[in-house]
Amino acid sequence: MNLQNSLKSSIAALALIGAGFAFTAPASADAVADIQKAGVLNVGVFADFPPFSSASSDMSLKGYDMDVAQAIADTLKVKLVPVAVTGQNRIPYLNDHRVDLLMSVGYSDERAQVIDYAAAYAPYYIAVIGPAATEVKDAAGLAGKSIAVNKGTLEDTSLTEAAPEGTDIKRFDNYNSVIQAFISGQTDLMVVGNDVGAQVLAKQEAMKPEQKFQLLSSPSHIALNKGEDALKAAINDTVARMVEDGSLNASSQEWLKVELNPDNLKD
């Protein structure tokens, strides 16, 4: 079996394992007691979402989200069980108690009507990225520069609003085309989210790309069901401790390739 098929099998197995635990998990106002009685914390994660979570060479999920999820499981003194979810099914999985919490959830008033949010734990922002040799400090510095961006995305909207007259915005149909245009020298800069940017920062050593400045910040939260105050407190305490002891910054440097800025955890 080749690596790609192995990864697909691993992801499918995670989903089945999660579903198996899900149907036995009782619904209760005291989620912490239920989790500790079961001995497992079922965490909904995107199985192919690097650098936040993705299958590694040993078939286990690794990434920024997994580091934080493991820390929460350690706080509760239970085993971490990752459950593969999608953007479409993850809220129903949480509401149906198939998972105890969800990673990488952006805040919205609409979602807040049906789920609760613990503290922001992961920075998500849209940034201008360019070679170290290119000096750009703010939006004014974009004038006269060519910039690659994914057409019709939030990145495109944010760049269009911020770019001064004289900026050459080159729009592409997907992120691979954006990255290729940038690393091949077709454009001076590119605008992407920090999830995509981390992969470029990690791989292009000769160019030495770096983040120039941010266009928009919208941190990710951990979601849980409403009324689970003890679980929310445990999550918040874990995140606060990770910020305080530097372990969250260590995860940021390993996976996101940047120093963690606490301001990026503010809505």
Side-chain angles (χ1 to χ4, degrees), residues 86-161:
T86 68
Q88 290 72 40
N89 70 22
R90 61 179 182 160
I91 301 299
Y93 267 41
L94 179 64
N95 290 158
D96 292 344
H97 297 273
R98 298 189 181 194
V99 296
D100 301 304
L101 53 89
L102 298 171
M103 308 301 292
S104 289
V105 181
Y107 180 87
S108 75
D109 291 337
E110 182 180 7
R111 286 175 178 164
Q113 295 178 24
V114 294
I115 61 173
D116 196 6
Y117 289 90
Y121 75 101
Y124 180 78
Y125 49 85
I126 294 169
V128 175
I129 293 178
T134 301
E135 185 173 352
V136 177
K137 296 180 179 179
D138 51 29
L142 300 178
K145 302 288 194 305
S146 58
I147 309 171
V149 69
N150 195 350
K151 180 171 58 180
T153 61
L154 184 58
E155 292 98 312
D156 188 358
T157 302
S158 300
L159 174 60
T160 301
E161 290 177 353

Side-chain angles (χ1 to χ4, degrees), residues 61-75:
L61 290 179
K62 303 290 186 184
Y64 186 94
D65 277 3
M66 300 309 300
D67 287 354
V68 177
Q70 185 62 62
I72 297 169
D74 291 344
T75 294

Side-chain angles (χ1 to χ4, degrees), residues 33-45:
D34 290 340
I35 290 166
Q36 292 179 329
K37 182 178 179 180
V40 296
L41 177 69
N42 296 313
V43 178
V45 294

Side-chain angles (χ1 to χ4, degrees), residues 45-46 49-54 61-72 80 103-104 119-125 194-195 198 219-222 239 242-243 246-262 264-265:
V45 294
F46 295 124
F49 186 44
F52 292 94
S53 55
S54 60
L61 290 179
K62 303 290 186 184
Y64 186 94
D65 277 3
M66 300 309 300
D67 287 354
V68 177
Q70 185 62 62
I72 297 169
L80 172 63
M103 308 301 292
S104 289
Y121 75 101
Y124 180 78
Y125 49 85
N194 62 309
D195 52 343
S220 292
H221 292 256
I222 298 169
V239 172
M242 294 183 75
V243 172
S247 57
L248 198 60
N249 181 46
S251 289
S252 179
Q253 291 189 48
E254 178 178 2
W255 299 110
L256 307 182
K257 307 305 179 185
V258 293
E259 188 89 8
L260 180 68
N261 181 350
N264 287 329
L265 299 182

Side-chain angles (χ1 to χ4, degrees), residues 7 19 30 63 116 152-153 159 165 175 191 200 214 226 251-252 265:
L7 293 180
D30 192 349
D116 196 6
T153 61
L159 174 60
E165 185 176 352
Y175 288 112
V191 169
V200 178
Q214 294 178 23
K226 289 181 176 295
S251 289
S252 179
L265 299 182

